[in-house]
Amino acid sequence: MKIYVITNTVLVRKMKEVFNCIREFTRQFQAHFIVTGSYLGRVLEPDFRFSSGDVTSIRIFTLSFQEFLETFDPPLYQEYSSLPLDHADDRKPEIYNELQSAFDVYKQIGGYPKVVETYLNTKSILLREKKGLDEGSISEELQKLVMKNHSSNLSKATCFRAINWLYQSWIVGYCGKIIEMDILNFKPSSRCFFMDLGITYYYLSRSGADAPTRSGTLNENYVYIDLLKRQEFPEEIAFETRGKAQKLLYLKGDTRGGANGKVETLPIYLLERYQFD
């Protein structure tokens, strides 16, 4: 069976006609079609109909830490792949230190392939930071950044639409919060995360966040992306609210890992290797 790939170039020229026919391709042709592109601004317009039925949507993530490490330092990646998860390997303290250093680099540059390629060629991270962290929501901070060099007034509604576009473009994602495992005490879209750590680092630095705040937020963002991937098809984990937690997993940067009863401690950079049973 043949496979055809429809890219941005085709979609830009005859965007609406092609997009609205996607769901009929499998009925009219004995072939598979892959539609890819980043021109989401057009797709959100009213004339475009989202396909259903014979269409499978696939979310494309930026490089994970494992994928970054395999390119960044292949020998270190081999050591990473062989480290035990249920206890510390005290024979290799230098490996844990090197992995933490590599993870610190990854948290700053993220996983966009071109950004990673540029770093590998230059080994430098250039970013100007501003002083002072203003309190407020992400929309308020974004509004301040956007309006900084412009005299025109942008309403909160305009900024909200911009943030919604970021969400639809898979640049940011939302996370709900449930308190004490009480389903009646659930708050949807309680937190907002960027879908790449490099963007998170850039935004936090522009906002003036200090080093501990940046590190904590980046670690939390990293865990969010990893858990989100595990909920993709085929689903590896599912969040339920019945009963008590069977296991408690601590993710830390300054540890080599270990287990004590139902409590497990793991270096955060080893999370991608961890399997939820």
Side-chain angles (χ1 to χ4, degrees):
M1 183 174 289
K2 295 182 178 179
I3 298 178
Y4 296 93
V5 178
I6 302 176
T7 62
N8 255 1
T9 304
V10 176
L11 291 177
V12 169
R13 291 177 179 172
K14 291 191 175 291
M15 189 72 171
K16 182 176 64 176
E17 293 83 355
V18 173
F19 189 85
N20 291 340
C21 290
I22 290 174
R23 57 184 169 184
E24 301 177 7
F25 285 171
T26 56
R27 303 187 185 106
Q28 298 181 9
F29 303 95
Q30 294 297 318
H32 292 296
F33 286 83
I34 300 175
V35 183
T36 179
S38 57
Y39 208 38
L40 189 62
R42 289 285 305 280
V43 175
L44 294 177
E45 294 177 359
D47 292 337
F48 292 82
R49 301 189 302 269
F50 280 91
S51 301
S52 61
D54 299 333
V55 176
T56 300
S57 298
I58 301 177
R59 293 173 175 175
I60 304 299
F61 292 86
T62 58
L63 296 179
S64 66
F65 175 62
Q66 284 191 98
E67 293 167 332
F68 163 78
L69 185 62
E70 190 173 6
T71 302
F72 175 70
D73 191 333
L76 183 59
Y77 172 75
Q78 296 300 322
E79 295 285 355
Y80 164 90
S81 301
S82 64
L83 285 178
L85 299 182
D86 57 348
H87 65 276
D89 189 344
D90 294 328
R91 300 170 303 170
K92 301 179 178 180
E94 72 285 351
I95 296 300
Y96 289 96
N97 293 335
E98 291 179 27
L99 285 172
Q100 182 61 56
S101 297
F103 186 64
D104 288 340
V105 172
Y106 175 73
K107 288 197 299 183
Q108 294 180 65
I109 68 173
Y112 279 103
K114 191 62 179 179
V115 176
V116 173
E117 179 185 7
T118 300
Y119 175 78
L120 293 177
N121 291 333
T122 63
K123 292 296 188 297
S124 66
I125 302 174
L126 300 177
L127 181 65
R128 293 184 301 172
E129 303 178 7
K130 83 168 190 177
K131 297 180 179 179
L133 175 62
D134 299 323
E135 296 182 356
S137 67
I138 182 174
S139 60
E140 292 171 344
E141 285 295 326
L142 179 61
Q143 187 176 20
K144 293 175 184 178
L145 290 175
V146 171
M147 295 175 59
K148 181 177 180 181
N149 297 320
H150 300 275
S151 59
S152 60
N153 293 324
L154 297 178
S155 66
K156 288 188 176 181
T158 300
C159 286
F160 176 79
R161 287 194 294 271
I163 294 173
N164 185 56
W165 181 86
L166 292 175
Y167 173 73
Q168 297 292 338
S169 301
W170 201 235
I171 295 174
V172 300
Y174 290 102
C175 180
K177 178 172 68 175
I178 186 169
I179 301 175
E180 298 295 335
M181 304 300 288
D182 181 5
I183 192 62
L184 299 179
N185 202 357
F186 174 73
K187 299 180 180 179
S189 302
S190 179
R191 300 292 297 274
C192 178
F193 296 95
F194 286 105
M195 298 309 300
D196 180 76
L197 295 189
I199 297 178
T200 307
Y201 180 81
Y202 176 80
Y203 173 77
L204 289 171
S205 300
R206 287 292 305 273
S207 297
D210 56 26
T213 300
R214 285 202 302 266
S215 180
T217 303
L218 287 164
N219 286 341
E220 186 176 351
N221 204 147
Y222 172 73
V223 173
Y224 168 79
I225 295 173
D226 180 80
L227 294 179
L228 191 62
K229 291 179 180 179
R230 296 173 189 261
Q231 288 186 288
E232 294 291 297
F233 180 83
E235 190 175 84
E236 180 181 342
I237 61 172
F239 295 103
E240 300 179 357
T241 59
R242 299 176 182 176
K244 297 182 179 180
Q246 298 176 336
K247 187 183 297 183
L248 182 61
L249 177 63
Y250 278 115
L251 299 171
K252 297 182 178 181
D254 57 346
T255 184
R256 298 176 191 172
N260 183 12
K262 293 183 178 181
V263 179
E264 295 184 14
T265 303
L266 189 72
I268 189 170
Y269 47 78
L270 290 178
L271 174 60
E272 293 172 36
R273 288 186 50 213
Y274 187 85
Q275 297 296 320
F276 290 89
D277 298 325

